[in-house]
Amino acid sequence: MRFTLVVLLTLAAHGQEFEVVSIKPGDPAFPGSSARSTAGGMEWRNTTVNNLIRGAYHLNEFQLTGGPKWADTERFNVDAKFPQGMLRGDGQSQQMMQHMLADRFNLVFRLETKMLPQYSLVVAKGGPKVERSSDNEGVRSQQGPRQIKAWGTPMSSLAQMLISVVSAPVTDHTGLQGQYNFSLEFAPLLDAPRENEPLGDIFAVLQQQLGLKLVATKGPVEMLVIDKVEKPTEN
């Protein structure tokens, strides 16, 4: 079952644009990428077009589909300068990114709502084993491909962090209120598990360490489908 909404990419014709955008090839031998906002603009290093699209439209990885293979493999260094008088964090940078993608990469897309696998985070049989945080610990978190660590964090935030681990939406249905500390180490979900992997996957670790469980469901997910994207025009 699928509902399709066709979106004509006419955005930013009425909005602000970056004053200057420089796009240069990245380093294909370097696997990492970075992004940061400065006082005068935004910088992306060794990023892909797909990363830029996900950032511009607040998408998780599983919400972007279509497009050529190079959009997820070819790397670029992008420097974008804010217009005169614009301050960092005033809320317009996302719209500027969208305009840049339409103008420099000729991005055209449509939105589709599909029924896809999702997960509910619930309390497992036997009850929760989570550690409540004290009022003076503050809120902080760290996340990598094999770990999630957080302090002073509500269950809803844990559900959000699990999205990138399971590549699907996760909703908190634990009913647990307040803030918690947790430190999870787990094996990435791979098509072919590694031999002698010492860690369990996230499903096992959640249940063993926190007394929580991910229950598979299905629900509507909004997807961005790339109809057209081209390599960037020269500076």
Side-chain angles (χ1 to χ4, degrees):
M1 182 176 180
R2 185 173 73 183
F3 171 73
T4 302
L5 171 65
V6 177
V7 177
L8 299 178
L9 190 60
T10 57
L11 52 73
H14 310 290
Q16 281 196 307
E17 307 172 25
F18 289 117
E19 186 174 302
V20 179
V21 177
S22 169
I23 303 175
K24 298 179 180 178
D27 182 359
F30 184 71
S33 64
S34 64
R36 73 186 185 112
S37 178
T38 68
M42 300 182 73
E43 298 176 358
W44 295 267
R45 293 292 175 266
N46 228 38
T47 192
T48 65
V49 176
N50 281 0
N51 279 340
L52 292 172
I53 296 171
R54 283 190 285 265
Y57 291 95
H58 293 294
L59 302 173
N60 291 297
E61 189 168 353
F62 57 84
Q63 291 178 282
L64 181 63
T65 187
K69 185 176 181 181
W70 65 263
D72 203 33
T73 58
E74 194 158 332
R75 307 247 170 197
F76 301 94
N77 294 331
V78 182
D79 292 274
K81 182 180 178 182
F82 290 144
Q84 189 73 24
M86 178 179 166
L87 300 176
R88 176 171 60 182
D90 71 355
Q92 300 180 63
S93 58
Q94 299 302 121
Q95 185 178 359
M96 292 181 179
M97 289 178 66
Q98 293 168 12
H99 185 279
M100 176 186 71
L101 288 162
D103 181 51
R104 299 296 297 275
F105 293 89
N106 291 319
L107 174 66
V108 178
F109 66 85
R110 66 186 185 276
L111 300 180
E112 293 184 355
T113 300
K114 298 183 180 180
M115 296 296 290
L116 294 178
Q118 302 187 19
Y119 292 95
S120 293
L121 181 65
V122 302
V123 175
K125 186 177 180 180
K129 305 174 187 177
V130 289
E131 172 194 348
R132 280 192 173 272
S133 64
S134 61
D135 293 336
N136 59 358
E137 286 185 276
V139 179
R140 53 199 172 99
S141 63
Q142 301 173 4
Q143 183 166 5
R146 300 173 70 89
Q147 70 168 14
I148 292 176
K149 295 183 179 181
W151 298 263
T153 302
M155 285 293 121
S156 58
S157 294
L158 173 59
Q160 287 296 308
M161 287 186 275
L162 290 170
I163 289 174
S164 63
V165 180
V166 298
S167 297
V170 179
T171 306
D172 172 33
H173 288 130
T174 62
L176 299 174
Q177 304 299 315
Q179 283 70 44
Y180 300 88
N181 301 335
F182 32 83
S183 179
L184 302 172
E185 293 188 11
F186 46 85
L189 297 175
L190 304 173
D191 293 334
R194 299 176 182 173
E195 285 189 39
N196 303 318
E197 172 61 64
L199 301 173
D201 64 25
I202 190 63
F203 300 97
V205 170
L206 274 173
Q207 196 155 347
Q208 293 164 1
Q209 296 186 20
L210 301 186
L212 303 177
K213 187 177 180 181
L214 286 170
V215 177
T217 62
K218 274 198 171 184
V221 177
E222 188 172 82
M223 311 281 293
L224 188 151
V225 183
I226 299 172
D227 287 326
K228 175 186 175 185
V229 67
E230 298 175 352
K231 293 187 180 181
T233 54
E234 294 188 12
N235 298 315

